[in-house]
Amino acid sequence: MRTLFRLAFATLLACAMLLPVLSVQSAHAADKDTLTYSWASNVGPLNPHLYSPSQMFAQALVYEPLVRYGKDGTVQPWLAESWEISPDGKVYTFALRKNVTFSDGTPFDADAVKKNFDAVLRNAESHDWLEFIAQIDKTEVVDAHTFRLTLKNSYYPALQELCLIRPMRFLSPSAFPDDGDTGKSIKAPVGTGPWKLVEIRRGEHDIFEANENYWGEKPKFKRLVVKVIPDSDGRAVAFDTGVIDLIYGAGGHGAGQIGLDTFRRYAEMPGLKTDVSKPLATRNFALNSKRFPTDDLAVRTAILHGVNKAAIVKHIFLGVEPQADTLFSPNMPYCDLGLAPFTHDLEKAKAGLEAAGWKTVAGSEYRMKDGKELALDLCFVGNDSLQKTVAEAVQGDLKRLGMKVRLVGEEADSFYTRQRTGEFGMIFGDTWGAPYDPHSFCSGMRVPSHADYQAQLGLPMKEEIDRAIGEVLVSVDEDKRSELYRYIITTLHEQAVYLPLSYMTNIYVHRPDLTGVDFGPTKYEMPFDSIGRQ
């Protein structure tokens, strides 16, 4: 009897798990022209020359670059069909693609390209994290379909940074404000891309329509609806009930699309398509070398040896994100350096603290030195449950070393303020992945508003690191460039400024009726235009 009961229960449970899938397939049969996706907020004003609150994935739908980053890591022609680089590496002459128009019918030509470059340069201070903008010396219209860019120095990542989603993409001249200052606002989000933003309902959805004037292969769906669903649990319910077609993006409760446990559940369900991308960026903590007690290299080193990353990857990231042992994934350019990882070794961590004078004290849970307790703040976004879970695991690991970790979970705005001001002991931070890593990310290390700058500020060789970054970006000698990157990355590794946790991936979940779902070449580009429905 007990066996029969278990069998009946298992059958009911299986039916309950399948029911949402079956009902959703039925619900979608009615609309073959619309792909429905979701995001945590509205996509924003989509000014191509500015940043938050515009969402990068949506900016990439509307605006296009001169050159594009390919899946194979190469730079490929896009709005520029070809280009020539002068022997001294300073002058780039682009042959623009002909018969391209913005979605409002305005011609895309060299005048439009120059107008956009000049608008970005007008607000260069907004882009001080991006060395490419500072390197631009002159923009010229050679003829209607030829644009020339002159740099102050031979800046080797120029083409890679022209691939970025922002700020160097192109707004229709007709959508410029009357004073030409896109740093303030734009009239409308009008680009050359495969999609047009046609409706915004705050807190509800954004609607994109396929650009009928698009020069390339047109999207298979006529309409893309992006529903506003703030939390990952709500997104899973929306998928189960057929409100959305597709889950795509980073995993994890909080900033991710869905919790990794939910993703694993979907991956085991029959009738669904799921996949995990290759590593796209690095999830890490920045350790503040300027602030007590992480201003002590022995403390930073003990943290790296004390945190059990393998357990975090297994039990929190559920194997969806592989363990990271270096700031940049070795598959990034100049980053395969064979650096020795900081292995999980509690005894080594304790010995290092003892040698540095951090002693256990009778009656106290935590170590002391010169009358000060070994205690620090670990900062995270309070409503990001993935960050909170990881923070709690780190807190437990470091307590075993006699280190007190105060968890500081705050609103996102407060969290980012701490990154800018350096008011943290440890703080979450991610690298940006291709095509930013390592050049753009290293360039940003020199900007005080970044957590990386604040974390590195206490290093005795900080000025030397910044000087090496400035030098590597304009180096024309490949061997010298490799050596400079080796110095920068190795020094940061040995100084234990970063605690790499995992290599971030994207995930997707959809039903079999969708076709053409694949991962984009970067963390932020989602190939909606190639997706169709059977």
Side-chain angles (χ1 to χ4, degrees):
M1 179 63 73
R2 180 173 294 178
T3 301
L4 287 174
F5 175 78
R6 286 177 175 168
L7 181 60
F9 179 78
T11 303
L12 287 171
L13 181 60
C15 290
M17 293 176 67
L18 286 171
L19 184 58
V21 180
L22 295 174
S23 64
V24 171
Q25 287 174 334
S26 298
H28 279 277
D31 188 354
K32 292 186 176 295
D33 293 332
T34 302
L35 175 66
T36 307
Y37 178 65
S38 70
W39 197 250
S41 63
N42 284 105
V43 299
L46 297 194
N47 184 328
H49 303 156
L50 293 180
Y51 304 94
S52 182
S54 294
Q55 302 299 305
M56 292 178 72
F57 86 90
Q59 288 173 303
L61 299 178
V62 174
Y63 304 106
E64 296 183 294
L66 288 178
V67 292
R68 187 173 187 180
Y69 187 81
K71 281 188 174 182
D72 60 357
T74 62
V75 175
Q76 302 172 351
W78 207 250
L79 288 177
E81 289 186 310
S82 62
W83 57 90
E84 293 180 354
I85 305 174
S86 65
D88 65 0
K90 295 182 180 179
V91 181
Y92 288 67
T93 303
F94 294 95
L96 305 180
R97 190 178 296 276
K98 297 177 181 175
N99 301 317
V100 175
T101 64
F102 292 91
S103 61
D104 63 355
T106 302
F108 170 79
D109 56 19
D111 285 330
V113 173
K114 178 174 170 54
K115 189 178 182 72
N116 276 267
F117 266 89
D118 292 348
V120 171
L121 292 173
R122 182 173 178 173
N123 295 287
E125 69 282 357
S126 299
H127 316 292
D128 58 358
W129 64 275
L130 187 61
E131 178 65 21
F132 171 68
I133 302 302
Q135 289 292 333
I136 297 175
D137 183 44
K138 187 166 57 175
T139 63
E140 297 175 84
V141 173
V142 177
D143 60 39
H145 298 291
T146 308
F147 172 72
R148 182 172 293 148
L149 181 68
T150 302
L151 304 180
K152 298 170 185 172
N153 297 284
S154 175
Y155 182 69
Y156 93 87
L159 290 175
Q160 284 90 342
E161 294 188 348
L162 280 170
C163 297
L164 302 184
I165 293 175
R166 55 195 188 192
M168 215 49 271
R169 295 203 179 187
F170 303 99
L171 177 72
S172 172
S174 66
F176 270 64
D178 292 339
D179 65 359
D181 188 359
T182 57
K184 298 175 183 173
S185 65
I186 59 175
K187 289 181 178 176
V190 182
T192 61
W195 298 94
K196 302 181 296 182
L197 178 63
V198 298
E199 181 176 299
I200 297 174
R201 288 195 180 181
R202 297 194 185 283
E204 296 185 24
H205 64 238
D206 302 290
I207 298 179
F208 296 81
E209 288 183 353
N211 175 8
E212 63 274 17
N213 295 324
Y214 189 51
W215 59 272
E217 186 173 347
K218 293 180 174 57
K220 292 180 170 55
F221 278 101
K222 293 180 180 177
R223 193 176 304 104
L224 170 64
V225 176
V226 182
K227 290 190 170 294
V228 177
I229 301 178
D231 69 281
S232 53
D233 289 336
R235 182 168 296 109
V237 171
F239 181 77
D240 288 343
T241 55
V243 174
I244 62 173
D245 294 302
L246 176 68
I247 294 168
Y248 186 114
H253 289 287
Q257 282 269 298
I258 54 172
L260 296 176
D261 52 344
T262 305
F263 174 75
R264 280 298 179 207
R265 177 170 63 83
Y266 284 140
E268 294 172 359
M269 291 175 67
L272 292 180
K273 301 288 187 181
T274 64
D275 205 353
V276 180
S277 76
K278 66 179 182 180
L280 298 170
T282 310
R283 191 188 300 273
N284 63 72
F285 283 106
L287 278 57
N288 196 335
S289 64
K290 183 71 173 177
R291 189 180 178 94
F292 175 86
T294 43
D295 56 350
D296 185 340
L297 175 59
V299 172
R300 300 197 300 273
T301 302
I303 291 172
L304 267 65
H305 282 302
V307 173
N308 189 347
K309 292 191 289 189
I312 291 174
V313 165
K314 179 179 180 180
H315 298 294
I316 299 177
F317 294 118
L318 304 179
V320 175
E321 296 187 5
Q323 180 173 324
D325 290 317
T326 51
L327 175 61
F328 298 113
S329 171
N331 66 342
M332 294 296 169
Y334 307 105
C335 296
D336 188 7
L337 302 175
L339 298 174
F342 289 82
T343 56
H344 180 229
D345 189 333
L346 291 180
E347 295 309 312
K348 190 172 185 177
K350 290 176 181 177
L353 290 172
E354 287 285 337
W358 292 101
K359 304 295 185 182
T360 56
V361 178
S364 174
E365 290 185 282
Y366 303 107
R367 293 176 184 268
M368 302 283 289
K369 180 180 179 180
D370 299 332
K372 294 183 178 179
E373 188 177 59
L374 182 52
L376 59 89
D377 293 335
L378 189 161
C379 305
F380 62 98
V381 178
N383 62 359
D384 188 323
S385 59
L386 182 67
Q387 287 193 0
K388 183 173 185 291
T389 304
V390 172
E392 290 171 345
V394 170
Q395 183 186 46
D397 284 343
L398 297 186
K399 187 175 182 179
R400 296 185 182 91
L401 301 180
M403 195 178 300
K404 184 177 184 178
V405 175
R406 296 181 291 261
L407 300 186
V408 182
E410 298 177 308
E411 295 290 330
D413 287 347
S414 300
F415 172 84
Y416 292 120
T417 297
R418 286 184 183 271
Q419 285 193 337
R420 291 192 295 270
T421 61
E423 293 179 66
F424 60 85
M426 298 174 63
I427 197 163
F428 278 93
D430 306 329
T431 70
W432 305 333
Y436 297 89
D437 292 347
H439 47 274
S440 304
F441 193 84
C442 286
S443 179
M445 291 175 179
R446 301 173 298 169
V447 180
S449 60
H450 284 197
D452 307 281
Y453 176 90
Q454 299 294 342
Q456 298 170 20
L457 199 53
L459 299 181
M461 68 292 290
K462 173 58 175 168
E463 288 187 10
E464 189 178 350
I465 291 171
D466 286 357
R467 187 165 52 249
I469 292 171
E471 193 174 347
V472 75
L473 294 175
V474 298
S475 173
V476 295
D477 185 300
E478 183 66 28
D479 291 338
K480 183 179 180 182
R481 190 183 302 157
S482 297
E483 283 308 306
L484 286 166
Y485 272 125
R486 177 176 292 279
Y487 164 74
I488 295 163
I489 297 170
T490 301
T491 301
L492 293 174
H493 183 79
E494 292 175 345
Q495 288 295 313
V497 181
Y498 295 96
L499 168 58
L501 290 172
S502 64
Y503 294 124
M504 303 174 71
T505 57
N506 276 348
I507 59 171
Y508 68 63
V509 182
H510 66 89
R511 298 169 193 81
D513 63 332
L514 289 188
T515 60
V517 180
D518 198 3
F519 294 109
T522 72
K523 181 181 173 186
Y524 312 99
E525 290 178 283
M526 302 180 186
F528 293 125
D529 42 327
S530 66
I531 298 176
R533 197 191 302 281
Q534 290 179 333

